[in-house]
Amino acid sequence: MNYKALIVDFGGVVTTRFRSALSSFCEREGLDPHRLHYVLREDPAGKAALFEAEAGRITQREFERQLGKLLAVSDVDLTQRICADLRPCESMLALVAQAKNAGVNTAMLSNSWGTGGYDIYTGYALPEYFDVVVVSDKVGYAKPDLEIYKFALAQLGLSANECIFADDVPRNLAPAATLGMTTVLVDEPADAVREIAQMLGLATV
């Protein structure tokens, strides 16, 4: 297959492991290492707050207030504290750059944590790597809503079967596959980089 675009998630794909950053935050705050992940994915109030923030229906500051109460921690600079351990995943960024230089369209498709406040994307020079950047709170949809994938495809001007989509969350891959994208689960970054490079006919970076 001659793929024309590579679409990647931000947290846990462009960055180092997102769930590890969540665990590290919990340990610094004296919480169970899995507490934040549980609140965001299992607790009804936490899930609702995250959904509203990702879709841009509440500000990041409001999300922090709600999340701080659920975790029983200070909500001051909460997003920044949670994301403190995230770093660029150099091997994935190198692959994206290589793909772009080879003429492959590149896009980032990311769920945010609400408008305003701490900008998690600062310092990643995203325009240098990506032709298209789609952030959920800016468009009013969030993964795994099909509409945000369709929006990304429209921005690229391509059909789903021409695209590879990589994400570290399995539930975010299913809608992309339903549309016809080839999907890659990013668990071990080195493995994902090799898999994507092979699909694109690129030398392993």
Side-chain angles (χ1 to χ4, degrees), residues 83-152:
C83 299
D85 284 359
L86 289 179
R87 299 291 183 272
C89 179
E90 300 294 351
S91 60
M92 185 61 72
L93 284 171
L95 174 65
V96 172
Q98 186 182 11
K100 186 173 182 180
N101 289 337
V104 177
N105 294 279
T106 57
M108 188 189 79
L109 178 55
S110 175
N111 283 0
S112 75
W113 278 10
T115 57
Y118 176 66
D119 185 354
I120 191 174
Y121 308 106
T122 296
Y124 284 82
L126 298 180
E128 295 181 13
Y129 292 95
F130 298 103
D131 301 303
V132 170
V133 173
V134 178
V135 178
S136 63
D137 72 77
K138 302 294 191 294
V139 299
Y141 304 107
K143 296 175 292 183
D145 189 323
L146 275 174
E147 293 305 316
I148 197 168
Y149 303 88
K150 292 177 181 177
F151 182 89

Side-chain angles (χ1 to χ4, degrees), residues 11-39:
V13 180
V14 168
T15 76
T16 50
R17 292 174 183 267
F18 194 66
R19 190 161 179 176
S20 295
L22 303 187
S23 297
S24 295
F25 162 79
C26 289
E27 291 170 357
R28 289 193 301 272
E29 298 287 331
L31 303 173
D32 179 277
H34 307 294
R35 177 62 181 164
L36 179 52
H37 185 264
Y38 172 81
V39 167

